[in-house]
């Protein structure tokens, strides 16, 4: 937490304990300035509004916390995890550019969240969509973010509950 003249600026999301967007973007810019590479996951919880509308916001808050724990489970030291707001999250896995390992991580996140929701009695209501952008350096945060976001949109419009890698074509 940083403090300037009686103003406290939090670097974490109060509900999930994950980093907030401002902190995440700053850390990403530092990594990229040092020719950092890795993989960005742009993540959205599918049908989250339906969960809130059906079961209430208290249950919705619990779903967000459960998902944050899933993301933490698959993060390593040095990886960045952020709740952008609402049901949107972003992660950056530093120095991870192997497509097979990235695909396994995305699959595991989707499956683990589904299993957790089933154990809580909410199986099949909320799922996970992920847009993935691997960077090997030479790109800005905004470029990587925009490409992952566009890829997430493709996943959302093609059935949800899946992941897809960004493709230049």
């Amino acid at each position: 937490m940083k403090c300037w003249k009686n103003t406290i600026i939090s670097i974490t999301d109060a509900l999930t304990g994950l980093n907030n967007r401002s902190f995440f973007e700053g850390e990403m810019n530092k990594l990229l300035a040092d020719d950092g590479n890795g993989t960005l996951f742009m993540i959205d919880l599918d049908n989250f509004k339906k969960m809130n509308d059906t079961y209430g916001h208290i249950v919705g808050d619990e779903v967000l916390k459960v998902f944050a724990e899933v993301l933490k489970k698959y993060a390593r030291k040095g990886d960045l995890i952020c709740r952008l707001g609402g049901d949107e999250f972003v992660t950056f896995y530093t120095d991870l550019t192997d497509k097979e390992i990235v695909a396994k991580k995305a699959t595991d996140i989707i499956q683990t969240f589904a299993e957790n929701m089933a154990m809580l009695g909410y199986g099949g209501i909320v799922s996970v969509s992920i847009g993935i952008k691997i960077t090997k350096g030479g790109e800005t945060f905004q470029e990587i973010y925009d490409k992952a976001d566009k890829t997430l949109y493709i996943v959302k419009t093609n059935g949800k509950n899946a992941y897809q890698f960004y493709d230049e074509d």
Side-chain angles (χ1 to χ4, degrees):
M1 192 170 346
K2 298 177 183 177
C3 183
W4 288 282
K5 294 185 182 180
N6 301 327
T7 302
I8 297 174
I9 300 173
S10 175
I11 61 171
T12 58
D13 171 64
L15 180 65
T16 63
L18 299 178
N19 295 127
N20 65 22
R21 181 188 180 119
S22 177
F23 178 81
F24 181 87
E25 189 170 344
E27 292 300 301
M28 280 287 301
N29 283 325
K30 288 179 200 173
L31 286 168
L32 295 172
D34 291 334
D35 292 324
N37 62 36
T39 299
L40 187 84
F41 281 17
M42 191 73 161
I43 309 166
D44 187 74
L45 297 183
D46 307 317
N47 308 313
F48 183 73
K49 182 177 178 347
K50 180 179 177 185
M51 172 63 81
N52 273 341
D53 291 348
T54 304
Y55 298 100
H57 288 88
I58 292 172
V59 172
D61 286 352
E62 288 305 311
V63 169
L64 295 172
K65 291 177 191 175
V66 166
F67 187 65
E69 290 304 313
V70 171
L71 291 180
K72 290 177 190 175
K73 176 180 180 176
Y74 292 101
R76 307 157 305 162
K77 185 177 176 156
D79 292 340
L80 301 172
I81 311 170
C82 166
R83 178 177 176 215
L84 293 173
D87 62 347
E88 295 179 336
F89 297 80
V90 64
T91 60
F92 187 74
Y93 301 101
T94 58
D95 299 321
L96 177 58
T97 58
D98 182 300
K99 199 170 183 177
E100 285 184 34
I101 295 171
V102 171
K104 172 87 169 98
K105 189 175 289 284
T107 299
D108 289 347
I109 288 169
I110 291 168
Q111 289 178 345
T112 301
F113 181 68
E115 290 165 3
N116 288 350
M117 289 292 88
M119 284 189 294
L120 293 172
Y122 302 112
I125 299 170
V126 179
S127 58
V128 179
S129 292
I130 307 172
I132 302 171
K133 173 62 176 96
I134 296 174
T135 184
K136 296 188 178 173
E139 295 177 278
T140 68
F141 168 73
Q142 198 60 53
E143 290 169 333
I144 298 164
Y145 182 91
D146 289 347
K147 290 173 182 176
D149 193 42
K150 287 176 185 171
T151 306
L152 173 62
Y153 178 77
I154 292 167
V155 174
K156 299 287 281 183
T157 57
N158 288 312
K160 304 177 183 177
N161 196 31
Y163 67 87
Q164 182 167 326
F165 287 90
Y166 175 80
D167 184 351
E168 293 291 338
D169 299 324

